[in-house]
Amino acid sequence: MEGFLLTNIIKTKSFWLATAMTLFCSVAGIFLAKLPYVNLIGALVIALLLGIALQITPQRVQAEANAGRGFISNKFLRLGIILLGFRLNLTKLADAGVKTILVAALAVSGTIVLTYWLSRKFGAEDELAILSACGCGVCGAAAVMGVSPQIETSDEDRKRENEVLAVAVVCVMGTVFTLLEIVLKPLLGLTDTQYGVVAGGSLHEIAHAVAAVSAFGEVSLDSALIMKLSRVL
């Protein structure tokens, strides 16, 4: 009984510590996004960068917050994405549906083939190559975990290592290209709608796509969500 209570206390402490860290990044991102020039990258990307910066906190704090961060990133982030989906204009979604699904089909199949070929070219194992390709081509970590059970192998430990590596590849590359696309938008002269389509069609995670377009208004956000959800479909 004492052990059970101790475990619950630790989990509760971890949750609130992770919540405090998340809230700090969120609020700081909103205020910093109001500064000149900084507002070009938006509050969500600033919050993302602050979250990365928090990795320099002491290892003891990181360990205490770890369980809570997993819960927040898994449950709260998905809830936020679902709520974003509710704000989409269904008429606009229906009008764009056929075009975006065709573009998404080409983007998904092309990205999977290209990423798999590059992975093998650089010496990655076949299993790691296909997991990374599906993660980059479809919807990030969720795609990796969805494809992995379909792969038959006798070495389960090796399979789990490849899953972790593939998720790491997807998350790191998604974050890098989120920042890169924000810089490229004015250089390429894209309209808000075009930029939303590019972000939704190229970034792995829905959260990355939302972060990349959040500073450019609702038109970009709607276009990115429609394009990204078409890829997931």
Side-chain angles (χ1 to χ4, degrees), residues 33-90:
K34 295 178 181 179
L35 297 175
Y37 303 110
V38 181
N39 60 357
L40 295 175
I41 63 174
L44 285 175
V45 174
I46 295 170
L48 179 67
L49 294 174
L50 289 172
I52 294 172
L54 283 179
Q55 299 303 310
I56 64 172
T57 54
Q59 287 297 317
R60 180 181 60 80
V61 176
Q62 294 287 335
E64 285 183 5
N66 199 40
R69 284 188 304 190
F71 180 82
I72 289 173
S73 63
N74 197 3
K75 306 299 182 186
F76 284 16
L77 181 61
R78 292 184 183 186
L79 175 61
I81 290 167
I82 290 168
L83 292 175
L84 271 176
F86 276 119
R87 62 176 293 284
L88 281 175
N89 185 314
L90 294 180

Coordinates of all heavy atoms in Angstrom, one line a residue, residues 33-90:
A33 N 6.7 36.4 -28.9 CA 6.2 36.5 -30.3 C 5.7 37.9 -30.6 O 5.4 38.2 -31.8 CB 5.1 35.5 -30.6
K34 N 5.5 38.7 -29.6 CA 5.0 40.1 -29.8 C 6.2 41.1 -30.1 O 5.9 42.2 -30.4 CB 4.2 40.6 -28.6 CG 2.9 39.8 -28.3 CD 2.2 40.3 -27.1 CE 0.9 39.4 -26.9 NZ 0.2 39.8 -25.6
L35 N 7.4 40.6 -29.9 CA 8.6 41.4 -30.1 C 8.8 41.6 -31.6 O 8.5 40.7 -32.4 CB 9.8 40.8 -29.5 CG 9.8 40.7 -28.0 CD1 11.0 39.9 -27.5 CD2 9.7 42.1 -27.3
P36 N 9.4 42.7 -32.0 CA 9.7 42.9 -33.5 C 10.7 41.9 -34.0 O 11.6 41.4 -33.3 CB 10.4 44.3 -33.5 CG 9.9 45.0 -32.2 CD 9.7 43.9 -31.2
Y37 N 10.5 41.4 -35.2 CA 11.3 40.4 -35.9 C 11.0 39.0 -35.3 O 10.9 38.1 -36.1 CB 12.8 40.8 -35.8 CG 13.1 42.1 -36.4 CD1 13.5 43.1 -35.6 CD2 13.0 42.3 -37.8 CE1 13.8 44.4 -36.1 CE2 13.3 43.6 -38.3 CZ 13.7 44.6 -37.5 OH 14.0 45.8 -38.0
V38 N 11.0 38.9 -34.0 CA 10.7 37.6 -33.4 C 9.4 37.1 -33.8 O 9.1 35.9 -33.9 CB 10.9 37.6 -31.9 CG1 10.7 36.3 -31.2 CG2 12.3 38.2 -31.5
N39 N 8.4 38.0 -34.0 CA 7.0 37.6 -34.3 C 6.9 36.9 -35.7 O 5.9 36.3 -36.0 CB 6.1 38.8 -34.3 CG 6.5 39.9 -35.3 OD1 7.5 39.8 -36.0 ND2 5.7 40.9 -35.4
L40 N 8.0 37.0 -36.5 CA 8.0 36.3 -37.8 C 8.0 34.8 -37.7 O 7.5 34.1 -38.6 CB 9.2 36.7 -38.6 CG 9.3 38.2 -39.0 CD1 10.6 38.5 -39.7 CD2 8.1 38.6 -39.9
I41 N 8.5 34.2 -36.6 CA 8.5 32.8 -36.5 C 7.3 32.2 -35.6 O 7.1 31.0 -35.6 CB 9.8 32.3 -35.9 CG1 10.1 32.8 -34.5 CG2 11.0 32.7 -36.8 CD1 11.3 32.2 -33.8
G42 N 6.6 33.1 -34.9 CA 5.4 32.7 -34.3 C 5.6 32.1 -32.9 O 6.7 31.6 -32.5
A43 N 4.5 32.1 -32.1 CA 4.6 31.7 -30.7 C 4.9 30.2 -30.5 O 5.6 29.8 -29.6 CB 3.3 32.1 -30.0
L44 N 4.3 29.4 -31.4 CA 4.5 27.9 -31.3 C 5.9 27.5 -31.5 O 6.4 26.6 -30.8 CB 3.5 27.2 -32.2 CG 2.0 27.2 -31.9 CD1 1.2 26.5 -33.0 CD2 1.8 26.4 -30.6
V45 N 6.5 28.1 -32.5 CA 7.9 27.7 -32.8 C 8.8 28.2 -31.7 O 9.8 27.5 -31.3 CB 8.4 28.3 -34.1 CG1 9.9 28.0 -34.4 CG2 7.6 27.6 -35.3
I46 N 8.6 29.4 -31.1 CA 9.4 29.9 -30.0 C 9.2 29.0 -28.8 O 10.2 28.6 -28.1 CB 8.9 31.3 -29.6 CG1 9.2 32.3 -30.8 CG2 9.6 31.8 -28.4 CD1 8.6 33.7 -30.6
A47 N 7.9 28.5 -28.5 CA 7.7 27.6 -27.4 C 8.5 26.3 -27.7 O 9.0 25.7 -26.7 CB 6.2 27.3 -27.3
L48 N 8.5 25.8 -28.9 CA 9.2 24.6 -29.3 C 10.7 24.8 -29.0 O 11.4 23.9 -28.4 CB 9.0 24.3 -30.7 CG 9.7 23.1 -31.3 CD1 9.2 21.8 -30.7 CD2 9.6 23.0 -32.8
L49 N 11.3 25.9 -29.4 CA 12.7 26.2 -29.1 C 13.0 26.3 -27.6 O 14.1 25.8 -27.2 CB 13.1 27.5 -29.8 CG 13.1 27.4 -31.4 CD1 13.4 28.8 -32.0 CD2 14.1 26.4 -31.9
L50 N 12.1 26.9 -26.9 CA 12.3 27.0 -25.4 C 12.2 25.6 -24.8 O 13.0 25.3 -23.9 CB 11.2 27.9 -24.8 CG 11.3 29.4 -25.1 CD1 10.1 30.1 -24.6 CD2 12.6 30.0 -24.5
G51 N 11.4 24.7 -25.3 CA 11.3 23.4 -24.8 C 12.6 22.6 -25.0 O 13.1 21.9 -24.2
I52 N 13.2 22.9 -26.2 CA 14.5 22.2 -26.5 C 15.6 22.8 -25.5 O 16.4 22.1 -25.0 CB 14.9 22.5 -28.0 CG1 13.9 21.8 -28.9 CG2 16.3 22.1 -28.2 CD1 14.1 22.1 -30.4
A53 N 15.5 24.1 -25.3 CA 16.5 24.7 -24.4 C 16.4 24.2 -23.0 O 17.4 24.2 -22.3 CB 16.3 26.3 -24.4
L54 N 15.2 23.8 -22.6 CA 15.0 23.3 -21.2 C 15.7 22.0 -21.0 O 15.8 21.5 -19.8 CB 13.5 23.1 -20.9 CG 12.7 24.4 -20.6 CD1 11.3 24.1 -20.3 CD2 13.3 25.1 -19.4
Q55 N 16.3 21.4 -22.0 CA 17.0 20.2 -21.9 C 18.3 20.4 -21.1 O 19.0 19.5 -20.7 CB 17.4 19.6 -23.2 CG 16.2 19.2 -24.1 CD 15.3 18.2 -23.3 OE1 15.7 17.2 -22.8 NE2 14.0 18.5 -23.3
I56 N 18.7 21.7 -20.9 CA 19.9 22.0 -20.2 C 19.7 22.0 -18.7 O 20.6 22.2 -17.9 CB 20.5 23.4 -20.6 CG1 19.6 24.5 -20.2 CG2 20.9 23.4 -22.1 CD1 20.2 25.9 -20.4
T57 N 18.4 21.9 -18.3 CA 18.1 21.8 -16.8 C 18.8 20.6 -16.2 O 19.1 19.6 -16.9 CB 16.6 21.8 -16.6 OG1 16.0 20.7 -17.3 CG2 16.0 23.1 -17.0
P58 N 19.0 20.6 -14.9 CA 19.7 19.4 -14.3 C 19.1 18.1 -14.6 O 17.8 18.0 -14.7 CB 19.6 19.8 -12.8 CG 19.5 21.2 -12.7 CD 18.7 21.6 -13.9
Q59 N 19.9 17.0 -14.6 CA 19.4 15.7 -14.9 C 18.3 15.2 -13.9 O 17.4 14.5 -14.3 CB 20.5 14.7 -15.0 CG 21.4 14.8 -16.2 CD 20.7 14.5 -17.5 OE1 19.9 13.5 -17.5 NE2 20.9 15.3 -18.5
R60 N 18.5 15.6 -12.7 CA 17.5 15.2 -11.7 C 16.1 15.8 -12.0 O 15.1 15.1 -11.9 CB 17.9 15.8 -10.3 CG 17.0 15.4 -9.2 CD 17.5 15.9 -7.8 NE 17.6 17.4 -7.9 CZ 16.6 18.2 -7.7 NH1 15.4 17.7 -7.5 NH2 16.8 19.5 -7.7
V61 N 16.1 17.1 -12.4 CA 14.8 17.7 -12.8 C 14.2 17.0 -14.1 O 13.0 16.7 -14.2 CB 15.0 19.2 -13.1 CG1 13.7 19.8 -13.6 CG2 15.5 19.9 -11.8
Q62 N 15.1 16.7 -15.0 CA 14.6 16.0 -16.3 C 14.0 14.7 -15.9 O 13.0 14.3 -16.5 CB 15.8 15.8 -17.2 CG 16.5 17.1 -17.7 CD 15.6 17.7 -18.8 OE1 14.8 17.1 -19.5 NE2 15.7 19.0 -18.9
A63 N 14.7 13.9 -15.0 CA 14.2 12.6 -14.7 C 12.8 12.7 -14.0 O 11.9 11.9 -14.2 CB 15.2 11.9 -13.8
E64 N 12.7 13.7 -13.1 CA 11.4 13.9 -12.4 C 10.2 14.2 -13.3 O 9.1 13.8 -13.1 CB 11.6 14.9 -11.3 CG 12.3 14.5 -10.1 CD 12.4 15.6 -9.0 OE1 11.8 16.6 -9.2 OE2 13.1 15.3 -8.0
A65 N 10.6 15.0 -14.3 CA 9.5 15.5 -15.2 C 9.2 14.5 -16.4 O 8.2 14.7 -17.1 CB 9.9 16.8 -15.8
N66 N 10.0 13.5 -16.5 CA 9.9 12.7 -17.7 C 8.6 12.0 -17.9 O 8.0 12.1 -19.0 CB 11.0 11.6 -17.6 CG 11.3 11.0 -19.0 OD1 11.3 11.7 -20.0 ND2 11.5 9.7 -19.0
A67 N 8.0 11.4 -16.8 CA 6.7 10.7 -17.0 C 5.6 11.7 -17.3 O 4.8 11.4 -18.1 CB 6.4 9.9 -15.7
G68 N 5.7 12.8 -16.6 CA 4.6 13.8 -16.9 C 4.7 14.4 -18.3 O 3.7 14.6 -18.9
R69 N 5.9 14.6 -18.8 CA 6.1 15.1 -20.2 C 5.5 14.1 -21.2 O 4.9 14.5 -22.2 CB 7.6 15.4 -20.5 CG 8.1 16.6 -19.8 CD 9.5 17.0 -20.3 NE 10.4 15.9 -20.1 CZ 11.7 16.0 -20.2 NH1 12.2 17.2 -20.6 NH2 12.5 15.0 -20.0
G70 N 5.7 12.8 -20.9 CA 5.2 11.8 -21.9 C 3.7 11.9 -21.9 O 3.1 11.8 -23.0
F71 N 3.0 12.1 -20.8 CA 1.6 12.2 -20.7 C 1.1 13.4 -21.5 O 0.1 13.4 -22.3 CB 1.1 12.2 -19.3 CG -0.4 12.3 -19.1 CD1 -1.2 11.2 -19.2 CD2 -1.0 13.5 -18.9 CE1 -2.6 11.3 -19.1 CE2 -2.4 13.7 -18.8 CZ -3.2 12.5 -18.9
I72 N 1.7 14.6 -21.2 CA 1.3 15.8 -21.8 C 1.5 15.8 -23.3 O 0.6 16.2 -24.1 CB 2.1 17.0 -21.2 CG1 1.6 17.2 -19.7 CG2 1.9 18.3 -22.0 CD1 2.4 18.2 -19.0
S73 N 2.7 15.3 -23.8 CA 2.9 15.3 -25.2 C 2.0 14.3 -25.9 O 1.7 14.5 -27.1 CB 4.4 15.0 -25.5 OG 4.7 13.7 -25.0
N74 N 1.6 13.3 -25.2 CA 0.8 12.2 -25.9 C -0.7 12.6 -25.9 O -1.3 12.5 -26.9 CB 1.0 10.9 -25.1 CG 0.5 9.7 -25.9 OD1 0.1 9.9 -27.1 ND2 0.6 8.6 -25.4
K75 N -1.2 13.0 -24.7 CA -2.6 13.3 -24.6 C -3.0 14.7 -24.9 O -3.9 15.0 -25.7 CB -3.1 12.9 -23.2 CG -2.7 11.5 -22.7 CD -3.4 10.5 -23.6 CE -3.0 9.1 -23.0 NZ -3.5 8.0 -23.9
F76 N -2.3 15.7 -24.3 CA -2.7 17.1 -24.4 C -2.5 17.6 -25.9 O -3.3 18.3 -26.4 CB -2.0 18.0 -23.4 CG -2.5 17.9 -22.0 CD1 -3.3 16.9 -21.6 CD2 -2.1 18.8 -21.1 CE1 -3.8 16.8 -20.3 CE2 -2.6 18.8 -19.8 CZ -3.4 17.7 -19.4
L77 N -1.3 17.2 -26.4 CA -1.0 17.6 -27.8 C -2.1 17.1 -28.8 O -2.6 17.8 -29.7 CB 0.4 17.1 -28.2 CG 0.8 17.5 -29.6 CD1 0.9 19.0 -29.7 CD2 2.2 16.9 -29.9
R78 N -2.5 15.8 -28.6 CA -3.5 15.3 -29.5 C -4.8 15.9 -29.3 O -5.6 16.2 -30.3 CB -3.6 13.8 -29.3 CG -2.3 13.0 -29.7 CD -2.4 11.5 -29.6 NE -1.2 10.9 -30.0 CZ -1.0 9.6 -30.1 NH1 -2.1 8.8 -29.8 NH2 0.1 9.1 -30.4
L79 N -5.2 16.3 -28.1 CA -6.4 17.0 -27.8 C -6.4 18.3 -28.5 O -7.4 18.7 -29.1 CB -6.6 17.2 -26.3 CG -7.9 18.0 -25.9 CD1 -9.1 17.3 -26.4 CD2 -7.9 18.2 -24.4
G80 N -5.3 19.0 -28.4 CA -5.2 20.3 -29.1 C -5.4 20.2 -30.6 O -6.0 21.0 -31.3
I81 N -4.8 19.1 -31.2 CA -4.9 18.9 -32.7 C -6.4 18.6 -33.0 O -6.9 19.1 -34.0 CB -4.0 17.8 -33.1 CG1 -2.5 18.3 -33.0 CG2 -4.3 17.3 -34.5 CD1 -1.5 17.2 -33.1
I82 N -7.0 17.8 -32.2 CA -8.5 17.5 -32.4 C -9.3 18.8 -32.4 O -10.2 19.0 -33.3 CB -9.0 16.5 -31.4 CG1 -8.3 15.1 -31.6 CG2 -10.5 16.4 -31.4 CD1 -8.6 14.1 -30.5
L83 N -9.0 19.6 -31.4 CA -9.8 20.9 -31.3 C -9.5 21.8 -32.5 O -10.4 22.5 -33.0 CB -9.4 21.6 -30.0 CG -9.9 20.9 -28.7 CD1 -9.3 21.7 -27.5 CD2 -11.4 20.8 -28.7
L84 N -8.3 21.8 -33.0 CA -8.0 22.5 -34.2 C -8.8 22.0 -35.4 O -9.3 22.8 -36.2 CB -6.5 22.4 -34.6 CG -5.5 23.4 -34.0 CD1 -4.1 23.1 -34.3 CD2 -5.9 24.8 -34.5
G85 N -8.9 20.7 -35.5 CA -9.7 20.1 -36.6 C -11.2 20.5 -36.6 O -11.8 20.7 -37.6
F86 N -11.7 20.8 -35.4 CA -13.1 21.2 -35.3 C -13.4 22.6 -35.9 O -14.5 22.9 -36.2 CB -13.6 21.2 -33.8 CG -14.0 19.8 -33.3 CD1 -13.4 19.2 -32.3 CD2 -15.1 19.2 -33.9 CE1 -13.8 18.0 -31.8 CE2 -15.5 17.9 -33.5 CZ -14.8 17.3 -32.4
R87 N -12.3 23.4 -35.9 CA -12.5 24.8 -36.4 C -12.4 24.9 -37.9 O -12.6 25.9 -38.5 CB -11.4 25.7 -35.8 CG -10.0 25.3 -36.1 CD -9.0 26.3 -35.6 NE -9.1 27.6 -36.2 CZ -8.7 27.9 -37.4 NH1 -8.1 26.9 -38.2 NH2 -8.9 29.1 -37.9
L88 N -12.1 23.8 -38.6 CA -12.1 23.8 -40.1 C -13.4 24.0 -40.7 O -14.4 23.5 -40.2 CB -11.5 22.5 -40.6 CG -10.0 22.3 -40.5 CD1 -9.6 20.9 -41.0 CD2 -9.3 23.3 -41.4
N89 N -13.5 24.8 -41.7 CA -14.7 25.0 -42.5 C -15.0 23.8 -43.3 O -14.2 23.4 -44.2 CB -14.5 26.3 -43.4 CG -15.8 26.6 -44.1 OD1 -16.4 25.8 -44.7 ND2 -16.1 27.9 -44.1
L90 N -16.1 23.1 -43.1 CA -16.4 21.8 -43.7 C -16.6 22.0 -45.2 O -16.2 21.1 -46.0 CB -17.6 21.1 -43.1 CG -17.4 20.7 -41.7 CD1 -18.7 20.0 -41.2 CD2 -16.2 19.7 -41.5

